[in-house]
Amino acid sequence: MKPLKFSKLSGTGNDFIIIDNREGLMPKKRMPGFVRGVCRRAVSVGADGVIFIENHPELDFSWNFYNSDGGEAEMCGNGARCAARYAFERGIAQKSMRFFTTAGEIEAHITDDKVAKVMLTKAFGYREFKFDSPKGIVEGYFLNTGVPHAIILNENVEDVDVKSTGAMIRHAEEFAPNGANANFVQIINQHELVIRTYERGVEDETLACGTGCVAAALTLAKNGRIQAPASLTVRSGEKLIVDFSPNTPLDGDAWLEGAVHWIYDGVFKDDPGIMR
């Protein structure tokens, strides 16, 4: 493998390795194994996922996005915000841009204070659910915001065993065959939420999940529990803002906004260990 430049960015606690692959330095067939290797924490760079920036014939760029397990994902809200800042600072796009993901076309904007906001594709598949599990009855809401999400309300999310309960929900027959991210949500008031998320593909609790924040805000707005805009405190302690149509939260545009931190730049060298 030739030396390959990369950047490490964090979107409110979700961290990503981003690679400019517009010259095709990394063939797609090698991406899953490469991702599994470099996302391992302590023995490599470590990240929740990897974003490969690619050419697009009409839009500013497209991406190939992989979760840390090497599985390709349809969409990632915080990943999209990180990709937007990366594309702007690398001269790939202007402050306002459009790019293509498997979930559809994404519009994004960068502000002067390094805040990135993206407009996600329309939500779909809303429903209520209730099923028996080894941990008792589980009930909540389902909504797909580019990625499938289960939303479960809790009086205090600090009391939730997110890893074990989240894994059980993620693999529940109710959400087969693709599974769903599990979001545990606490309502503070009509504009504030606290959220913890177990993400499929990472297979653990993450410090933030952008599409999960959007799913939670839209679902609770539909049920009259909160109003736009909604501020969600994620596990990292930072906040994400979700804005949406107050009258038709599931049918209008949904914007996800928050800070993006550029952690560092680096170069991968020919180390077979990271490819395992």
Side-chain angles (χ1 to χ4, degrees), residues 29 50 217 272:
K29 66 181 181 180
V50 178

Side-chain angles (χ1 to χ4, degrees), residues 85-253:
R85 182 179 171 191
Y86 178 91
F88 168 65
E89 300 219 11
R90 287 287 190 252
I92 299 170
Q94 301 298 313
K95 281 189 173 182
S96 294
M97 67 192 77
R98 292 181 179 274
F99 60 96
F100 186 78
T101 73
T102 306
E105 184 178 320
I106 301 296
E107 179 181 346
H109 302 276
I110 306 296
T111 65
D112 291 335
D113 55 359
K114 312 304 182 187
V115 168
K117 67 177 183 178
V118 295
M119 184 177 74
L120 301 188
T121 54
K122 292 292 188 294
F124 64 93
Y126 171 85
R127 61 183 171 88
E128 298 181 15
F129 66 81
K130 184 176 183 178
F131 62 89
D132 290 325
S133 79
K135 294 178 177 289
I137 294 176
V138 179
E139 58 184 321
Y141 308 93
F142 175 88
L143 186 66
N144 193 309
T145 51
V147 177
H149 286 279
I151 310 298
I152 300 96
L153 286 174
N154 299 89
E155 290 187 2
N156 186 350
V157 293
E158 293 302 319
D159 295 337
V160 179
D161 183 347
V162 172
K163 187 163 186 175
S164 65
T165 305
M168 179 271 296
I169 294 171
R170 177 259 191 271
H171 291 287
E173 184 66 25
E174 178 77 17
F175 308 115
N178 296 323
N181 291 358
N183 301 271
F184 304 93
V185 184
Q186 177 182 344
I187 300 174
I188 304 301
N189 56 50
Q190 287 191 319
H191 291 281
E192 293 184 82
L193 304 171
V194 179
I195 185 169
R196 296 177 66 184
T197 302
Y198 181 96
E199 288 199 55
R200 62 175 195 163
V202 179
E203 305 308 334
D204 203 346
E205 180 176 10
T206 56
L207 294 181
C209 178
T211 54
C213 286
V214 173
L218 297 185
T219 294
L220 295 178
K222 174 179 172 55
N223 286 276
R225 305 293 295 272
I226 66 167
Q227 299 177 2
S231 173
L232 294 95
T233 301
V234 297
R235 196 58 177 163
S236 68
E238 296 188 60
K239 295 181 184 295
L240 283 166
I241 305 299
V242 179
D243 205 359
F244 49 87
S245 169
N247 298 320
T248 55
L250 299 187
D251 299 322
D253 296 334

Side-chain angles (χ1 to χ4, degrees), residues 242-268:
V242 179
D243 205 359
F244 49 87
S245 169
N247 298 320
T248 55
L250 299 187
D251 299 322
D253 296 334
W255 289 92
L256 175 68
E257 180 176 347
V260 172
H261 309 291
W262 197 300
I263 310 302
Y264 59 84
D265 298 320
V267 179
F268 291 117

